[in-house]
Amino acid sequence: PALLASVVVSFVGGALIERILIRPVEGPDKNPLNVVIVTLGLFLAINALAQLIFIKPGQEALQMPSPFPEGDFAGIRKETIGLVLVLALECVLLWVLLQRTKVGLALRAVASNPESARLVGINTGTMLMVGWGLAAGLGAIAGSLVASQSSGFDTSLMQQILVYSFAGAALGGFDSPIGAVVGGLIVGVAESLTYQYGPDIGLAGIELVVPMALILGVLLIKPNGLFGRTIVERV
């Protein structure tokens, strides 16, 4: 119930952030760096607020229980199976939303060409709010699952995950939902393999190097990512 409540609260919070903080600094006549600066400030502010609420001086770090049962099934940890099932469910639900509903069609239209979407009667402002809300809700699920696997709650526990998430999206293609999933899986497998064999090599932190090198190599060959579209504009 707490996990579901966090998704709802995050959805509302993401929509309000888009309406109150992002929309005033975003637009075709404004510098795109404005949004970057605002989101970085939000990241630092929310991290500081979380530390103020949940981390008390002199107290042990809070532990978040795992939503999955302990033990193994067919030689695989049940927690791993649960994480894969959650990912699969998210992918299916997002695919149905984006491909089989009017809201999903409107979201894709606004993401592709907001001016044309506005001309055909789509409320671009509402769709942007929904998009930010969905991103925040998915982020709440990811954060909860990551926190349940950590040794204790720490406001920095998502920083490494954010790097991997950005890397997976860049590898698969920023404009391809399927690419984001495939890219994330590739980065995750590469990180796991290097973490497993890194100690034998004797280099601490090498698990961060191999996925980044993989991304760099792919982007040098195919800058739009594995599944990204190449946009050709006529001059």
Side-chain angles (χ1 to χ4, degrees):
L3 177 57
L4 295 178
S6 70
V7 173
V8 175
V9 172
S10 297
F11 181 91
V12 175
L16 291 177
I17 286 174
E18 192 283 329
R19 174 59 65 109
I20 298 173
L21 299 177
I22 300 299
R23 190 169 303 185
V25 301
E26 189 179 35
D29 58 336
K30 297 180 180 178
N31 192 333
L33 288 177
N34 293 343
V35 178
V36 177
I37 294 172
V38 171
T39 51
L40 286 176
L42 278 171
F43 176 75
L44 296 175
I46 293 175
N47 257 15
L49 182 62
Q51 183 169 2
L52 181 65
I53 296 175
F54 296 107
I55 301 179
K56 304 299 183 182
Q59 294 183 2
E60 294 184 1
L62 296 176
Q63 301 289 330
M64 182 172 178
S66 174
F68 308 110
E70 298 180 356
D72 296 344
F73 178 79
I76 304 175
R77 293 175 57 195
K78 292 181 180 180
E79 186 177 34
T80 301
I81 298 174
L83 291 172
V84 173
L85 291 177
V86 170
L87 172 62
L89 180 61
E90 286 182 346
C91 292
V92 170
L93 292 178
L94 284 175
W95 183 87
V96 172
L97 173 66
L98 296 176
Q99 300 292 335
R100 292 291 185 266
T101 66
K102 291 184 178 180
V103 174
L105 179 60
L107 286 170
R108 290 162 52 202
V110 172
S112 177
N113 193 324
E115 290 79 12
S116 298
R118 191 179 298 110
L119 290 175
V120 297
I122 297 176
N123 190 328
T124 57
T126 300
M127 290 301 103
L128 288 172
M129 285 183 61
V130 172
W132 275 75
L134 284 174
L138 292 173
I141 297 175
S144 300
L145 295 179
V146 171
S148 66
Q149 298 181 74
S150 66
S151 57
F153 180 78
D154 183 4
T155 55
S156 64
L157 62 86
M158 288 298 291
Q159 292 181 6
Q160 187 174 359
I161 305 301
L162 287 172
V163 174
Y164 286 138
S165 301
F166 183 83
L171 179 60
F174 283 107
D175 57 352
S176 172
I178 296 178
V181 175
V182 175
L185 290 173
I186 293 175
V187 171
V189 171
E191 188 270 343
S192 297
L193 291 176
T194 51
Y195 181 79
Q196 176 69 26
Y197 297 107
D200 296 335
I201 300 175
L203 296 176
I206 194 174
E207 67 274 6
L208 297 175
V209 176
V210 175
M212 299 301 110
L214 177 64
I215 294 161
L216 179 61
V218 171
L219 294 182
L220 287 174
I221 300 173
K222 199 174 187 299
N224 293 319
L226 297 176
F227 295 87
R229 295 179 300 171
T230 302
I231 300 175
V232 179
E233 295 184 357
R234 181 176 297 175
V235 180

